[in-house]
Amino acid sequence: MEKPDLSGAYALNGPDDCRRLYADWAGSYDADFAATMAYRLPCEVAATYARERTAAMAEGDILDVGAGTGLLAAALRGLGIGATIDAVDLSTAMLAQAGRKGLYRALIEADVTRPLPIATRYAGIVSSGTFTHGHVGPEALDRLLGVARPGALMVLSVNRAIWDAKGFDAAFAALSGRITDLAMDPVAIYGADARTADPAHAEDTALIVRFRVA
Ligand SMILES: C[S@@+](CC[C@H](N)C(=O)[O-])C[C@H]1O[C@@H](n2cnc3c(N)ncnc32)[C@H](O)[C@@H]1O
């Protein structure tokens, strides 16, 4: 089989495709993808979360959505965030890699577009790299609101190219009354090294979307 890469990830179509690709990619994802592409989204999401969280939510639990190998939890810890973090992801293989890092309380194998088997109500919900081509669209927002406590802070990256295609404007408009303080900032997904590693995707951008649960 071909070596898994970003083009393969963007071409995914549904949960079974996703599980297959990440089963092959999990062991090399950090070294072959994140390092060579100077992948920035986990740090961008973590920085926004650290800046926007309030003192009241400092110790509340955090859910990392599509946690993969755990890069976002590592970035949150790197910024001094000590709260308990749970991981939810479709891929057993990616969660196994995340588990090795010892950063999460729970590793929850679930599809975030379906009803979630989660009783915790989180003070923070974060996600990097999961709202993208062939992965997760705005249909997951309602599921995530269902596991957030009132006042929770949500910080999600959304690949800029799927924002219009998947109807995020309409999806957020439909959540009016259930969320407050919606704001977003554009960021580069990759650093300068990506121009050599994968020129086709080197200039890709995302929106770091933040809001509070009413
Ligand atoms: C590009 S990786 C990002 C991983 C990590 N957050 C990061 O920034 O490195 C996308 C992750 O989303 C997960 N994923 C895709 N679709 C999902 C779904 N419907 N429910 C839960 N996780 C999903 C994949 O298994 C994969 O681990």
Side-chain angles (χ1 to χ4, degrees), residues 1 3 25-26 31 37 50 66 73 86 99 109 113 136-137 143 145 153 162 174 184 196 199:
M1 98 157 279
K3 196 175 158 193
W25 207 5
M37 295 291 281
D86 290 342
E109 193 174 319
T113 67
V136 174
R143 306 290 183 200
L145 286 176
L153 172 64
I162 73 159
M184 58 199 82
T196 315

Side-chain angles (χ1 to χ4, degrees), residues 6 38 54 57 66-67 73 77 105 157 187 193:
L6 193 54
T54 59
M57 66 174 52
R77 291 284 183 256
R105 171 181 62 187
S157 78
V187 295
D193 291 356

